[in-house]
């Protein structure tokens, strides 16, 4: 027992020393001086121009945190703006990673603007950002690429996103839609853990012609293993003009449960009205 106590004390001291060392490094580290390297790397890998006007923030221990303000990203091979944001910050707890738990503090993104476009050949202007990495010539593909990754438990304290303007344009069929004034706020996002969601936004379109305001508030709970989802105290409202309908006012209230594994959909106290 005495030996265990000594070992525990030694481990405790080592943790304190490491934490103090990382805190000192974080306090004296200036991530802003790496802005040129970051923008050059983005240019090299994506042919996009990244402009970081705001300061970069970094914390190391006990949470790896990143914060950035006023960022702009161009279209590939062009100075035309693709996306921008006023602020973003997130932090990740390090110690839970040892037990394959991803614990993230509140994710905050504000002042988001983006223009999503599908060209006539069917390609999206984000394909270069979301597509699979291309293997270098002469190098074999990663043999483990097709193997399923071990399960990881995800735990996010919450998400807070506000977007000024999100546009969608399809050059094949002429569809043009824009979401503005979007506000999304959630509670904890974790398996089998209750949370609450609030969403509001305005949707306007030329083709189709639409001008709607939406608002949703609901409690939620989900099970990743069974893909079951439960919405409690749901309150949804849609108001405005839609194709073929002017002055629409529709509301939905109640509790909704879905469990694909059991082939179950349960509605409780549901009220739907439309005018």
């Amino acid at each position: 027992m005495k030996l265990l106590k000594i070992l525990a004390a030694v481990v405790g001291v080592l943790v304190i020393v490491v934490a103090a060392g990382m805190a000192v490094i974080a306090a004296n580290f200036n991530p802003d001086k790496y802005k040129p390297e970051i923008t050059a790397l983005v240019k090299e890998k994506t042919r996009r121009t990244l402009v970081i006007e705001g300061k970069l923030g970094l914390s190391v221990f006990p949470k790896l945190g990143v914060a950035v303000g006023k960022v702009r990203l161009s279209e590939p091979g062009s100075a035309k703006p693709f996306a921008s944001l006023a602020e973003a910050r997130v932090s990740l707890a390090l110690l839970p990673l040892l037990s394959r738990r991803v614990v993230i503090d509140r994710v905050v993104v504000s002042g988001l603007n983006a223009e999503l476009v599908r060209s006539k050949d069917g390609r999206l202007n984000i394909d270069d950002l979301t597509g699979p990495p291309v293997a270098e010539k002469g190098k074999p593909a990663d043999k483990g690429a097709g193997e399923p990754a071990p399960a990881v438990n995800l735990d996010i304290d919450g998400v807070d996103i506000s977007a000024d303007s999100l546009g969608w344009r399809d050059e094949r069929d002429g569809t043009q839609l824009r979401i503005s004034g979007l506000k999304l706020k959630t509670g904890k996002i974790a398996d089998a853990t209750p949370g609450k969601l609030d969403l509001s936004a305005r949707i306007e379109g030329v083709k189709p012609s639409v001008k709607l305001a939406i608002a949703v508030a609901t409690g939620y709970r989900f099970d990743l293993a069974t893909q079951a989802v439960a919405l409690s105290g749901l309150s949804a409202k849609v108001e405005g003009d839609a194709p073929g309908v002017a002055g629409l006012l529709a509301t939905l209230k109640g509790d909704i449960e879905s469990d694909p594994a059991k082939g179950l959909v349960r509605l409780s106290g549901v009220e739907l009205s439309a005018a």
Side-chain angles (χ1 to χ4, degrees):
M1 290 296 294
K2 186 175 182 181
L3 179 59
L4 291 177
K5 289 182 179 179
I6 293 174
L7 288 175
V10 171
V11 171
V13 171
L14 288 175
V15 170
I16 293 174
V17 170
V18 171
M22 297 184 77
V24 170
I25 293 173
N28 292 276
F29 177 71
N30 180 16
D32 280 334
K33 70 179 183 180
Y34 292 97
K35 284 182 181 180
E37 285 84 352
I38 295 172
T39 55
L41 181 62
V42 171
K43 188 75 170 181
E44 176 188 346
K45 298 297 184 180
T46 68
R47 299 187 303 115
R48 295 175 183 259
T49 300
L50 176 67
V51 179
I52 306 174
E53 296 182 6
K55 288 187 176 182
L56 293 175
L58 178 67
S59 61
V60 178
F61 194 85
K63 296 179 180 180
L64 178 61
V66 178
V68 63
K70 291 188 178 180
V71 173
R72 300 196 312 272
L73 183 65
S74 75
E75 293 280 3
S78 169
K80 187 177 179 180
F82 161 67
S84 65
L85 56 83
E87 178 191 17
R89 63 178 185 271
V90 63
S91 62
L92 170 69
L94 296 177
L95 294 181
L97 292 176
L98 300 176
S99 57
R100 302 198 63 78
R101 290 179 60 236
V102 179
V103 179
I104 299 175
D105 277 351
R106 193 159 199 87
V107 178
V108 177
V109 177
S110 63
L112 178 63
N113 294 273
E115 295 293 326
L116 191 61
V117 180
R118 187 193 301 275
S119 59
K120 291 182 178 179
D121 60 9
R123 289 184 298 178
L124 294 172
N125 62 340
I126 57 170
D127 283 346
D128 61 314
L129 301 177
T130 61
V134 180
E136 292 184 29
K137 188 176 181 180
K139 289 189 177 182
D142 185 0
K143 294 182 180 180
E147 299 177 0
V152 175
N153 293 324
L154 183 64
D155 187 332
I156 302 176
D157 190 54
V159 173
D160 197 339
I161 298 176
S162 68
D164 296 333
S165 176
L166 301 175
W168 162 254
R169 186 174 80 255
D170 193 329
E171 295 180 346
R172 298 181 304 178
D173 60 13
T175 298
Q176 293 186 51
L177 293 172
R178 183 166 302 280
I179 299 174
S180 60
L182 182 144
K183 295 184 183 299
L184 171 64
K185 188 172 184 178
T186 76
K188 182 175 282 294
I189 301 175
D191 195 22
T193 302
K196 193 174 187 310
L197 176 146
D198 288 284
L199 169 68
S200 62
R202 295 186 301 275
I203 303 175
E204 297 183 11
V206 175
K207 183 183 179 182
S209 179
V210 59
K211 189 174 183 179
L212 296 171
I214 64 172
V216 178
T218 184
Y220 60 82
R221 185 185 179 96
F222 57 86
D223 188 319
L224 292 177
T226 63
Q227 298 184 349
V229 177
L231 303 180
S232 58
L234 170 66
S235 176
K237 180 179 179 181
V238 179
E239 186 175 10
D241 300 328
V245 182
L248 171 68
L249 176 59
T251 61
L252 173 64
K253 297 181 179 181
D255 299 333
I256 301 175
E257 294 182 44
S258 172
D259 190 338
K262 297 179 181 179
L264 172 69
V265 176
R266 179 182 291 118
L267 307 179
S268 177
V270 172
E271 297 179 11
L272 173 64
S273 65

